[in-house]
């Protein structure tokens, strides 16, 4: 058995060599991003609204930043903003060998082996970069463990809804992780999100900070020197005319997570499709695809479905809708409909009501705790996947005024957090 493990290590090391090691540079901040986070293009490169907004601030403030594309991203180096490097090969090697070892030594030992290997990999990356801080969207547990070993704080910055029923924040971190596997802290959009984490994280050594939404704040309080915002403002207009405008936030993977073994078409429920077709002359419909529906495996299917179903209709648009910054898009719409996208939260900041179509949001469902604040206030409402129910909600919501929840956002923002925590090398 020892000889077998020795051979595994030899093959493993050789497989891991050709990656982003040579491109890693010592930097003040290590920032993580994944293809799923990159729904925008800027300076002829794919851009992560949250992660790369932090990158731009740090660079303009005189700090150095190393970007890393987390497994298994394909949009890397010159194709993406700030030249993120990837380590797909070593992480894939770990995953493949773990599967082999699972058959030989059992699931628990193979899981422990994989965890150790991933931690060592992150330790090597951190040793090369020597960052003062790491920020990522749901950073890998092994990275959090490595950060604690080296005394490098690793922060998880909010990217969507935070709730105890969420698989990452609830099942994985709160209920199935050791204290040493938690991020050093969580950077939340608002106090409601922070409350969920404050119930357990600080007692286990992870701080919870409310820093706002960097992408949203960037557009709500634009700087005269912000080239990205200036460029976006010049080409962001989509909604035209006097028709009420309805945004539909689409999501990837719904057929896997909620509608497996059904005739769900992977894009939207039949009732919503029918309502759009019936009312496209009455309302303007803007369909926004998730980044993975633009570049991932679902991209071809989504495009074929949308083109075949709505391509002949003048009042249904999805190309530009899917690329315009969300804050600028929300400023142009009257209503929002989604299965269960976190756009519900951002829409509420604009006072825009949302219809939620996922039946598992109903009491007793697996996600019945999502968007409780928005649902209790009335700005979000669970609507059955039925034509009449959707059309009735649209008519009613268009006649109702809702209060914006923007006042609940912090004023300091994540830039202040970065300026306080990072120290310039003299």
């Amino acid at each position: 058995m020892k000889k077998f493990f020795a051979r595994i290590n030899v093959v493993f090391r050789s497989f891991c060599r050709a990656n982003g090691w040579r491109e890693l540079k010592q930097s003040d901040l290590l920032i993580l991003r994944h293809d799923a986070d990159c729904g925008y293009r800027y300076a002829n490169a794919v851009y992560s609204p949250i992660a790369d907004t932090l990158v731009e601030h740090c660079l303009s403030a005189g700090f150095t930043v190393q970007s890393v594309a987390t497994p298994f991203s394909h949009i890397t180096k010159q194709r993406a903003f700030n030249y993120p490097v990837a380590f797909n090969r070593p992480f894939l090697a770990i995953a493949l060998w773990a599967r082999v070892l699972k058959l030989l030594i059992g699931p628990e030992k193979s899981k422990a082996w994989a965890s150790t290997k991933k931690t060592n990999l992150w330790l090597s990356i951190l040793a090369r970069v020597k960052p003062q801080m790491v920020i990522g969207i749901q950073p890998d547990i092994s990275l959090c463990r490595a950060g604690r070993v080296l005394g490098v704080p690793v922060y998880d910055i909010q990217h969507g809804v935070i709730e105890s029923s969420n698989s990452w924040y609830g099942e994985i971190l709160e209920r199935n992780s050791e204290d040493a596997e938690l991020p050093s802290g969580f950077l939340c959009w608002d106090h409601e999100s922070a409350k969920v984490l404050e119930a357990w994280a600080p007692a286990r050594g992870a701080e919870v900070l409310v820093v706002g939404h960097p992408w949203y704040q960037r557009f709500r309080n634009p700087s005269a020197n912000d080239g990205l915002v200036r460029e976006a403002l010049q080409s962001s207009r989509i909604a035209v005319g006097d028709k009420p405008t309805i945004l539909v936030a689409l999501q990837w993977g719904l057929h896997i997570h909620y509608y497996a073994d059904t005739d769900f078409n992977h894009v939207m429920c039949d009732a919503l499709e029918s309502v759009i077709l019936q009312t496209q002359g009455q309302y303007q419909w803007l369909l926004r695809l998730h980044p993975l529906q633009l570049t991932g495996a679902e991209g071809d299917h989504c495009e074929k479905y949308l083109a075949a179903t709505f391509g002949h209709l003048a009042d249904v648009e999805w190309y530009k809708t899917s690329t315009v910054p969300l804050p600028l898009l929300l400023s142009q719409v009257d209503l929002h409909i989604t299965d269960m996208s976190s756009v519900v939260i951002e829409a509420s900041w604009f006072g825009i009501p949302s219809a939620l179509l996922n039946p598992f949001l109903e009491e007793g469902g697996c996600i019945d705790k999502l968007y409780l604040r928005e649902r209790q206030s009335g700005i979000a409402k669970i609507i059955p996947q039925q034509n009449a129910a959707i059309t009735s909600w649209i008519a009613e919501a268009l006649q109702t005024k809702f209060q914006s929840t923007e006042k609940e956002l912090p004023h300091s923002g994540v830039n202040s957090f970065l300026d306080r925590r990072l120290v310039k090398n003299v």
Side-chain angles (χ1 to χ4, degrees):
M1 185 64 74
K2 287 184 179 179
K3 287 184 179 180
F4 176 75
F5 277 107
R7 288 174 181 171
I8 283 182
N9 282 326
V10 170
V11 176
F12 179 76
R13 284 197 298 271
S14 64
F15 190 80
C16 294
R17 281 185 189 132
N19 273 280
W21 296 107
R22 285 184 295 181
E23 288 94 345
L24 283 179
K25 60 184 183 295
Q26 185 172 333
S27 302
D28 298 312
L29 175 68
L30 174 62
I31 194 87
L32 309 173
R33 37 74 70 206
H34 185 272
D35 290 353
D37 312 324
C38 301
Y40 194 63
R41 286 192 66 86
Y42 177 58
N44 296 317
V46 171
Y47 190 96
S48 169
I50 290 179
D52 288 326
T53 289
L54 306 191
V55 170
E56 285 207 77
H57 172 75
C58 287
L59 293 177
S60 65
F63 298 109
T64 51
V65 184
Q66 173 65 62
S67 295
V68 170
T70 55
F72 291 99
S73 295
H74 302 291
I75 306 171
T76 62
K77 296 188 179 180
Q78 66 271 12
R79 296 177 61 199
F81 189 82
N82 202 45
Y83 201 87
V85 296
F87 296 88
N88 289 337
R89 185 177 291 185
F91 281 109
L92 177 60
I94 293 170
L96 293 176
W97 280 118
R99 288 195 175 189
V100 174
L101 293 175
K102 184 177 180 180
L103 300 174
L104 298 173
I105 61 177
E108 292 301 319
K109 289 184 178 179
S110 66
K111 183 179 178 181
W113 177 88
S115 177
T116 298
K117 286 296 183 183
K118 287 195 290 184
T119 300
N120 290 339
L121 180 54
W122 281 116
L123 284 169
S124 297
I125 293 172
L126 292 176
R128 292 279 188 100
V129 180
K130 295 181 172 60
Q132 298 180 43
M133 180 194 307
V134 180
I135 298 179
I137 295 166
Q138 299 183 356
D140 182 49
I141 283 175
S142 297
L143 168 59
C144 296
R145 190 186 301 114
R148 288 182 181 267
V149 169
L150 295 178
V152 178
V154 177
Y155 286 91
D156 179 348
I157 188 165
Q158 184 175 352
H159 182 65
V161 64
I162 293 179
E163 181 41 63
S164 59
S165 61
N166 179 282
S167 62
W168 174 253
Y169 294 104
E171 181 182 352
I172 295 175
L173 293 187
E174 180 184 2
R175 295 186 284 276
N176 291 298
S177 294
E178 299 175 3
D179 292 357
E181 297 172 328
L182 297 178
S184 307
F186 299 92
L187 307 178
C188 301
W189 292 348
D190 52 29
H191 293 284
E192 284 296 316
S193 301
K195 267 196 240 180
V196 176
L197 300 171
E198 287 169 344
W200 60 268
R204 296 176 57 188
E207 64 178 331
V208 180
L209 302 170
V210 179
V211 299
H213 191 305
W215 188 241
Y216 173 84
Q217 291 172 321
R218 188 171 181 177
F219 284 91
R220 295 299 272 181
N221 302 291
S223 166
N225 299 321
D226 193 330
L228 182 149
V229 172
R230 189 167 57 248
E231 178 181 290
L233 286 169
Q234 293 174 352
S235 58
S236 64
R237 194 66 189 165
I238 301 176
V240 293
D242 299 326
K243 294 177 183 177
T245 301
I246 305 173
L247 170 66
V248 176
L250 300 173
Q251 296 171 266
W252 74 279
L254 292 175
H255 62 290
I256 300 171
H257 302 295
Y258 301 106
Y259 306 120
D261 302 320
T262 72
D263 58 358
F264 181 67
N265 61 32
H266 294 204
V267 182
M268 67 177 67
C269 67
D270 292 341
L272 180 57
E273 173 191 307
S274 178
V275 169
I276 294 173
L277 291 172
Q278 292 170 6
T279 64
Q280 55 85 26
Q282 184 179 357
Y283 308 124
Q284 184 173 13
W285 290 89
L286 305 181
L287 315 181
R288 185 175 177 87
L289 280 70
H290 185 277
L292 288 182
Q293 292 176 313
L294 295 170
T295 60
E298 293 191 38
D300 288 343
H301 175 84
C302 287
E303 175 55 31
K304 288 178 181 177
Y305 165 79
L306 293 173
T309 310
F310 307 115
H312 60 292
L313 303 176
D315 287 328
V316 183
E317 203 283 335
W318 65 89
Y319 290 108
K320 196 171 180 180
T321 300
S322 300
T323 58
V324 165
L326 184 58
L328 297 184
L329 182 63
L330 287 170
S331 68
Q332 304 177 56
V333 306
D334 300 293
L335 306 179
H336 168 235
I337 299 176
T338 185
D339 189 88
M340 42 79 71
S341 168
S342 62
V343 173
V344 168
I345 299 173
E346 292 147 289
S348 74
W349 298 339
F350 287 83
I352 298 170
S354 296
L356 293 156
L357 302 181
N358 192 306
F360 295 100
L361 288 162
E362 296 282 4
E363 187 174 357
C366 59
I367 52 173
D368 64 353
K369 298 296 189 296
L370 293 188
Y371 313 119
L372 282 179
R373 176 187 58 172
E374 290 80 13
R375 287 154 54 189
Q376 289 168 355
S377 72
I379 201 167
K381 188 174 182 180
I382 303 171
I383 304 299
Q385 294 183 3
Q386 301 167 3
N387 293 27
I390 296 172
T391 53
S392 176
W393 175 83
I394 291 173
E396 181 183 343
L398 286 173
Q399 299 301 316
T400 308
K401 292 290 184 182
F402 294 91
Q403 290 294 318
S404 164
T405 60
E406 185 178 31
K407 63 180 182 298
E408 300 173 18
L409 296 175
H411 297 290
S412 58
V414 72
N415 291 349
S416 298
F417 164 79
L418 291 168
D419 294 340
R420 290 194 310 270
R421 298 297 180 95
L422 293 176
V423 178
K424 289 184 180 177
N425 296 314
V426 180

